[in-house]
Amino acid sequence: MSSKSKLNLFIANPRMSLWKLTIPMMLGLFVNSIYILVDTYFVGSMLGEDGTAALSALGYVMPFYFIIMGITFGIAGGTTTVIAQYIGEDNQKNVSQTAQNSLVIAVLLAIINVIFTYLFGADVIAFQGADAKVLSLALDYFYIMAYGSIFLIFGIFLRGILIGEGESIVPMAALGSGTILNIILDPFFINYFGISGAAYATMVSHIIVILIFLYFIFIKKITYSNFNFQNFNINFKIWKKIFNLGIPSSISMLIMSCGLFIMNTILVEDAHVAGYNLANRIENFATLALISLSTSQVTVIGMFYGAKKYDLIKPMIRYTTIWAMIIGGFFSIISLLFIDDIAPLFFPSNSTLDLLMKESAIQSTIDYYSIMAFAYPFIGLTMVSSRAMQAISIAWPMILITFSRVIILQCFLTYLFIVVLGRDVLWAWYAISLSCIIAGIIAYLMRLYFVNKLEEIK
């Protein structure tokens, strides 16, 4: 099925088209989310006395890893939007040019990642204040993940191209296959290489994902884009469009990564960092479902925007918003009911030396969800509102919303409660929850303003 015929189907039945994109993407990301939890379980349970320290080590590495993912997902998201808009305009030449130029951008990002890792990586990890044992484990994991991220970068860009064309089955198959392999390899690699084994398994899975993408693109030739590069040229006009739509998302994710970094330095205690890290990983079940829905929304609305079908945009956004808040509310209920049973599974049961640290980390995770449960519907509202604005070529509000939530509200309030007022870590979770609720309201009001202006053009 060509992308042009997909455009016609999207126009004919927007809601069904949204779910045809969302469900496969959601399944693929859910499998990936399961892997993240399994990876956490193996690291925590297979390393004996080092298990809890290893979980803390993952927490110190995650901000850097999220920075790489954030920048890449952001710019790749710009690629997705630009491709969807060009398909809406029925401009296959620019669709192909966008896909090809985005891969050149991926090469540049990979080079920058390697240089930054080599020059500054260790200092970034050490600066967060981990003790010697945790720092050693963190660096063992960090370097493999950081250098192996070049494969992650290319995988994300290839996925972004396919999603922009309205293709979600192949990304699901690629991500699912790589994740299943990762889960299989994890226990064996961790058994032989320790915490480094978890990073090696992840790197192998990223390579497999790329190979699957390349098979479908070059052998099966499923794409609307042309990847023969015979008529390729560097098109800075397309680069500008990709960056204008993608950089705000990248900066927003960079702000969130910096927020994790700042939170780690404020929380100080390794047990609280481990609990916060585990809470974030479990949270992927909700956020990845919302990412699937909001990303699919970008493809559908981007095509409508390119085709100047403005009358279809507002009903689509309203429909997506309702479902995003339903998904967030469902996760709120699940987390309240089952987090007491889930959290202890990811900490080593055979540890005696770190018993107090383990109990503190588990309690931190449980407390986090007891407070954050009220915020998840608003997280859904924020995500679909921000991405809807991106789809109609208004991406800068994403930066304002994220900065307000993470830096002005979350980190400032956490610092105020924990450092200045000397309150319990519970108050950090209050700060995060409150920041998510306020950000959701801000995103919704900004979305209403810009979408209403779009309707005036009609």
Side-chain angles (χ1 to χ4, degrees), residues 266 411-424 427:
I266 295 174
C411 292
F412 172 75
L413 290 177
T414 300
Y415 181 83
L416 176 65
F417 294 150
I418 304 300
V419 178
V420 177
L421 300 179
R423 297 295 181 89
D424 185 83
W427 286 82

Side-chain angles (χ1 to χ4, degrees), residues 221-297:
K221 299 185 182 300
I222 65 166
T223 58
Y224 185 64
S225 308
N226 187 336
F227 283 93
N228 61 23
F229 284 88
Q230 290 179 352
N231 299 315
F232 170 74
N233 60 80
I234 298 292
N235 190 326
F236 289 111
K237 180 180 178 181
I238 289 177
W239 281 47
K240 183 178 178 181
K241 287 194 70 171
I242 291 174
F243 288 140
N244 282 344
L245 294 173
I247 290 296
S249 180
S250 291
I251 293 175
S252 296
M253 294 184 183
L254 181 62
I255 291 170
M256 288 188 281
S257 300
C258 290
L260 283 175
F261 181 90
I262 295 170
M263 290 294 290
N264 284 347
T265 60
I266 295 174
L267 295 176
V268 179
E269 291 185 26
D270 289 334
H272 292 157
V273 173
Y276 183 49
N277 173 55
L278 175 59
N280 278 297
R281 285 174 167 239
I282 297 174
E283 220 164 52
N284 278 318
F285 274 106
T287 57
L288 291 179
L290 295 170
I291 287 171
S292 302
L293 186 64
S294 58
T295 302
S296 300
Q297 176 191 234

Side-chain angles (χ1 to χ4, degrees), residues 22 40 118 227 247 288 323 347 452:
T22 299
T40 304
Y118 179 78
F227 283 93
I247 290 296
L288 291 179
W323 274 103
F347 291 91
N452 286 338

Side-chain angles (χ1 to χ4, degrees), residues 102-259:
S102 71
L103 294 182
V104 177
I105 295 172
V107 172
L108 293 178
L109 288 178
I111 293 172
I112 292 170
N113 171 59
V114 170
I115 294 173
F116 185 88
T117 298
Y118 179 78
L119 294 177
F120 307 111
D123 293 333
V124 170
I125 302 301
F127 183 76
Q128 297 175 82
D131 65 30
K133 178 180 180 181
V134 172
L135 178 60
S136 176
L137 290 168
L139 291 176
D140 288 344
Y141 183 81
F142 164 74
Y143 278 112
I144 300 164
M145 288 292 288
Y147 289 126
S149 293
I150 60 174
F151 303 108
L152 172 69
I153 291 170
F154 281 99
I156 291 173
F157 268 91
L158 291 171
R159 173 184 173 273
I161 292 167
L162 292 175
I163 294 297
E165 294 189 4
E167 171 59 60
S168 59
I169 299 296
V170 171
M172 178 193 71
L175 186 60
S177 300
T179 299
I180 291 170
L181 177 63
N182 203 337
I183 292 173
I184 294 172
L185 293 178
D186 241 353
F188 298 102
F189 278 39
I190 292 173
N191 186 52
Y192 283 101
F193 301 107
I195 193 173
S196 300
Y200 283 125
T202 300
M203 184 171 63
V204 171
S205 75
H206 291 327
I207 295 172
I208 295 301
V209 167
I210 290 177
L211 292 176
I212 293 172
F213 278 138
L214 295 179
Y215 170 77
F216 279 99
I217 290 172
F218 291 102
I219 306 299
K220 290 295 187 179
K221 299 185 182 300
I222 65 166
T223 58
Y224 185 64
S225 308
N226 187 336
F227 283 93
N228 61 23
F229 284 88
Q230 290 179 352
N231 299 315
F232 170 74
N233 60 80
I234 298 292
N235 190 326
F236 289 111
K237 180 180 178 181
I238 289 177
W239 281 47
K240 183 178 178 181
K241 287 194 70 171
I242 291 174
F243 288 140
N244 282 344
L245 294 173
I247 290 296
S249 180
S250 291
I251 293 175
S252 296
M253 294 184 183
L254 181 62
I255 291 170
M256 288 188 281
S257 300
C258 290

Side-chain angles (χ1 to χ4, degrees), residues 32-145:
N32 186 66
S33 186
I34 291 170
Y35 152 68
I36 291 173
L37 294 181
V38 171
D39 184 57
T40 304
Y41 170 78
F42 283 135
V43 168
S45 62
M46 292 186 64
L47 296 180
E49 300 293 347
D50 290 334
T52 305
L55 288 176
S56 296
L58 295 182
Y60 288 113
V61 173
M62 282 304 106
F64 182 88
Y65 192 57
F66 285 154
I67 288 173
I68 297 172
M69 290 184 65
I71 293 172
T72 307
F73 267 115
I75 299 177
T79 298
T80 297
T81 307
V82 173
I83 286 176
Q85 290 179 353
Y86 279 139
I87 289 175
E89 296 174 7
D90 195 20
N91 191 333
Q92 186 175 17
K93 178 182 177 181
N94 278 356
V95 171
S96 298
Q97 284 290 307
T98 301
Q100 293 169 14
N101 276 268
S102 71
L103 294 182
V104 177
I105 295 172
V107 172
L108 293 178
L109 288 178
I111 293 172
I112 292 170
N113 171 59
V114 170
I115 294 173
F116 185 88
T117 298
Y118 179 78
L119 294 177
F120 307 111
D123 293 333
V124 170
I125 302 301
F127 183 76
Q128 297 175 82
D131 65 30
K133 178 180 180 181
V134 172
L135 178 60
S136 176
L137 290 168
L139 291 176
D140 288 344
Y141 183 81
F142 164 74
Y143 278 112
I144 300 164
M145 288 292 288

